[in-house]
PDB file of all heavy atoms in Angstrom:
ATOM      1  N   ARG A 157      -0.602  -6.877  14.345  1.00  0.00           N
ATOM      2  CA  ARG A 157      -0.290  -7.538  15.621  1.00  0.00           C
ATOM      3  C   ARG A 157      -1.549  -7.815  16.428  1.00  0.00           C
ATOM      4  O   ARG A 157      -1.654  -8.826  17.096  1.00  0.00           O
ATOM      5  CB  ARG A 157       0.667  -6.663  16.437  1.00  0.00           C
ATOM      6  CG  ARG A 157       2.083  -6.683  15.914  1.00  0.00           C
ATOM      7  CD  ARG A 157       3.011  -5.879  16.834  1.00  0.00           C
ATOM      8  NE  ARG A 157       4.363  -5.925  16.342  1.00  0.00           N
ATOM      9  CZ  ARG A 157       4.894  -5.025  15.512  1.00  0.00           C
ATOM     10  NH1 ARG A 157       4.171  -4.008  15.087  1.00  0.00           N
ATOM     11  NH2 ARG A 157       6.138  -5.158  15.104  1.00  0.00           N
ATOM     12  N   ASP A 158      -2.485  -6.875  16.406  1.00  0.00           N
ATOM     13  CA  ASP A 158      -3.689  -6.967  17.229  1.00  0.00           C
ATOM     14  C   ASP A 158      -4.927  -6.642  16.412  1.00  0.00           C
ATOM     15  O   ASP A 158      -4.875  -5.818  15.500  1.00  0.00           O
ATOM     16  CB  ASP A 158      -3.618  -5.971  18.396  1.00  0.00           C
ATOM     17  CG  ASP A 158      -2.418  -6.203  19.281  1.00  0.00           C
ATOM     18  OD1 ASP A 158      -2.308  -7.313  19.825  1.00  0.00           O
ATOM     19  OD2 ASP A 158      -1.595  -5.287  19.413  1.00  0.00           O
ATOM     20  N   GLU A 159      -6.031  -7.283  16.760  1.00  0.00           N
ATOM     21  CA  GLU A 159      -7.314  -6.934  16.173  1.00  0.00           C
ATOM     22  C   GLU A 159      -7.765  -5.601  16.754  1.00  0.00           C
ATOM     23  O   GLU A 159      -7.158  -5.078  17.695  1.00  0.00           O
ATOM     24  CB  GLU A 159      -8.339  -8.024  16.482  1.00  0.00           C
ATOM     25  CG  GLU A 159      -8.216  -9.229  15.591  1.00  0.00           C
ATOM     26  CD  GLU A 159      -8.636  -8.941  14.158  1.00  0.00           C
ATOM     27  OE1 GLU A 159      -9.727  -8.408  13.946  1.00  0.00           O
ATOM     28  OE2 GLU A 159      -7.839  -9.236  13.262  1.00  0.00           O
ATOM     29  N   LEU A 160      -8.837  -5.039  16.208  1.00  0.00           N
ATOM     30  CA  LEU A 160      -9.293  -3.721  16.647  1.00  0.00           C
ATOM     31  C   LEU A 160      -9.607  -3.673  18.134  1.00  0.00           C
ATOM     32  O   LEU A 160      -9.270  -2.725  18.812  1.00  0.00           O
ATOM     33  CB  LEU A 160     -10.538  -3.293  15.859  1.00  0.00           C
ATOM     34  CG  LEU A 160     -10.284  -2.908  14.417  1.00  0.00           C
ATOM     35  CD1 LEU A 160     -11.607  -2.637  13.709  1.00  0.00           C
ATOM     36  CD2 LEU A 160      -9.382  -1.687  14.340  1.00  0.00           C
ATOM     37  N   GLU A 161     -10.299  -4.689  18.629  1.00  0.00           N
ATOM     38  CA  GLU A 161     -10.681  -4.736  20.038  1.00  0.00           C
ATOM     39  C   GLU A 161     -10.266  -6.075  20.626  1.00  0.00           C
ATOM     40  O   GLU A 161     -11.103  -6.937  20.903  1.00  0.00           O
ATOM     41  CB  GLU A 161     -12.188  -4.522  20.182  1.00  0.00           C
ATOM     42  CG  GLU A 161     -12.635  -3.157  19.690  1.00  0.00           C
ATOM     43  CD  GLU A 161     -14.129  -2.979  19.777  1.00  0.00           C
ATOM     44  OE1 GLU A 161     -14.805  -3.757  20.486  1.00  0.00           O
ATOM     45  OE2 GLU A 161     -14.630  -2.052  19.137  1.00  0.00           O
ATOM     46  N   PRO A 162      -8.961  -6.266  20.828  1.00  0.00           N
ATOM     47  CA  PRO A 162      -8.510  -7.582  21.283  1.00  0.00           C
ATOM     48  C   PRO A 162      -9.004  -7.911  22.688  1.00  0.00           C
ATOM     49  O   PRO A 162      -8.960  -7.088  23.583  1.00  0.00           O
ATOM     50  CB  PRO A 162      -6.988  -7.468  21.249  1.00  0.00           C
ATOM     51  CG  PRO A 162      -6.702  -6.011  21.363  1.00  0.00           C
ATOM     52  CD  PRO A 162      -7.863  -5.319  20.705  1.00  0.00           C
ATOM     53  N   ALA A 163      -9.492  -9.133  22.829  1.00  0.00           N
ATOM     54  CA  ALA A 163      -9.909  -9.631  24.142  1.00  0.00           C
ATOM     55  C   ALA A 163      -9.093 -10.877  24.470  1.00  0.00           C
ATOM     56  O   ALA A 163      -9.573 -11.784  25.135  1.00  0.00           O
ATOM     57  CB  ALA A 163     -11.405  -9.940  24.111  1.00  0.00           C
ATOM     58  N   HIS A 164      -7.865 -10.894  23.970  1.00  0.00           N
ATOM     59  CA  HIS A 164      -7.013 -12.075  24.064  1.00  0.00           C
ATOM     60  C   HIS A 164      -5.579 -11.632  23.807  1.00  0.00           C
ATOM     61  O   HIS A 164      -5.325 -10.476  23.510  1.00  0.00           O
ATOM     62  CB  HIS A 164      -7.452 -13.095  23.020  1.00  0.00           C
ATOM     63  CG  HIS A 164      -7.691 -12.433  21.692  1.00  0.00           C
ATOM     64  ND1 HIS A 164      -6.678 -11.929  20.906  1.00  0.00           N
ATOM     65  CD2 HIS A 164      -8.836 -12.138  21.049  1.00  0.00           C
ATOM     66  CE1 HIS A 164      -7.187 -11.369  19.828  1.00  0.00           C
ATOM     67  NE2 HIS A 164      -8.497 -11.474  19.887  1.00  0.00           N
ATOM     68  N   ASP A 165      -4.662 -12.574  23.877  1.00  0.00           N
ATOM     69  CA  ASP A 165      -3.263 -12.222  23.623  1.00  0.00           C
ATOM     70  C   ASP A 165      -2.731 -12.895  22.358  1.00  0.00           C
ATOM     71  O   ASP A 165      -1.531 -13.039  22.186  1.00  0.00           O
ATOM     72  CB  ASP A 165      -2.387 -12.553  24.829  1.00  0.00           C
ATOM     73  CG  ASP A 165      -2.414 -14.033  25.184  1.00  0.00           C
ATOM     74  OD1 ASP A 165      -3.167 -14.799  24.543  1.00  0.00           O
ATOM     75  OD2 ASP A 165      -1.686 -14.421  26.102  1.00  0.00           O
ATOM     76  N   LEU A 166      -3.615 -13.287  21.454  1.00  0.00           N
ATOM     77  CA  LEU A 166      -3.206 -13.925  20.213  1.00  0.00           C
ATOM     78  C   LEU A 166      -2.615 -12.903  19.241  1.00  0.00           C
ATOM     79  O   LEU A 166      -3.109 -11.790  19.134  1.00  0.00           O
ATOM     80  CB  LEU A 166      -4.405 -14.617  19.549  1.00  0.00           C
ATOM     81  CG  LEU A 166      -5.110 -15.664  20.393  1.00  0.00           C
ATOM     82  CD1 LEU A 166      -6.352 -16.168  19.660  1.00  0.00           C
ATOM     83  CD2 LEU A 166      -4.187 -16.798  20.748  1.00  0.00           C
ATOM     84  N   THR A 167      -1.579 -13.305  18.538  1.00  0.00           N
ATOM     85  CA  THR A 167      -0.934 -12.430  17.566  1.00  0.00           C
ATOM     86  C   THR A 167      -0.026 -13.265  16.675  1.00  0.00           C
ATOM     87  O   THR A 167       0.454 -14.310  17.131  1.00  0.00           O
ATOM     88  CB  THR A 167      -0.133 -11.309  18.278  1.00  0.00           C
ATOM     89  OG1 THR A 167       0.289 -10.354  17.318  1.00  0.00           O
ATOM     90  CG2 THR A 167       1.049 -11.820  19.035  1.00  0.00           C
ATOM     91  N   PRO A 168       0.196 -12.866  15.450  1.00  0.00           N
ATOM     92  CA  PRO A 168      -0.361 -11.783  14.641  1.00  0.00           C
ATOM     93  C   PRO A 168      -1.593 -12.253  13.857  1.00  0.00           C
ATOM     94  O   PRO A 168      -1.904 -13.443  13.829  1.00  0.00           O
ATOM     95  CB  PRO A 168       0.781 -11.453  13.677  1.00  0.00           C
ATOM     96  CG  PRO A 168       1.458 -12.758  13.440  1.00  0.00           C
ATOM     97  CD  PRO A 168       1.344 -13.503  14.758  1.00  0.00           C
ATOM     98  N   TRP A 169      -2.232 -11.309  13.194  1.00  0.00           N
ATOM     99  CA  TRP A 169      -3.506 -11.539  12.529  1.00  0.00           C
ATOM    100  C   TRP A 169      -3.441 -11.252  11.041  1.00  0.00           C
ATOM    101  O   TRP A 169      -2.893 -10.236  10.620  1.00  0.00           O
ATOM    102  CB  TRP A 169      -4.571 -10.629  13.135  1.00  0.00           C
ATOM    103  CG  TRP A 169      -4.876 -11.014  14.539  1.00  0.00           C
ATOM    104  CD1 TRP A 169      -4.192 -10.634  15.664  1.00  0.00           C
ATOM    105  CD2 TRP A 169      -5.905 -11.876  14.975  1.00  0.00           C
ATOM    106  NE1 TRP A 169      -4.750 -11.216  16.775  1.00  0.00           N
ATOM    107  CE2 TRP A 169      -5.812 -11.978  16.376  1.00  0.00           C
ATOM    108  CE3 TRP A 169      -6.915 -12.571  14.320  1.00  0.00           C
ATOM    109  CZ2 TRP A 169      -6.683 -12.746  17.125  1.00  0.00           C
ATOM    110  CZ3 TRP A 169      -7.789 -13.333  15.078  1.00  0.00           C
ATOM    111  CH2 TRP A 169      -7.661 -13.415  16.466  1.00  0.00           C
TER     112      TRP A 169
END
Side-chain angles (χ1 to χ4, degrees):
R157 285 184 179 92
D158 301 301
E159 281 290 309
L160 288 174
E161 297 177 16
H164 45 71
D165 60 356
L166 302 175
T167 190
W169 292 84

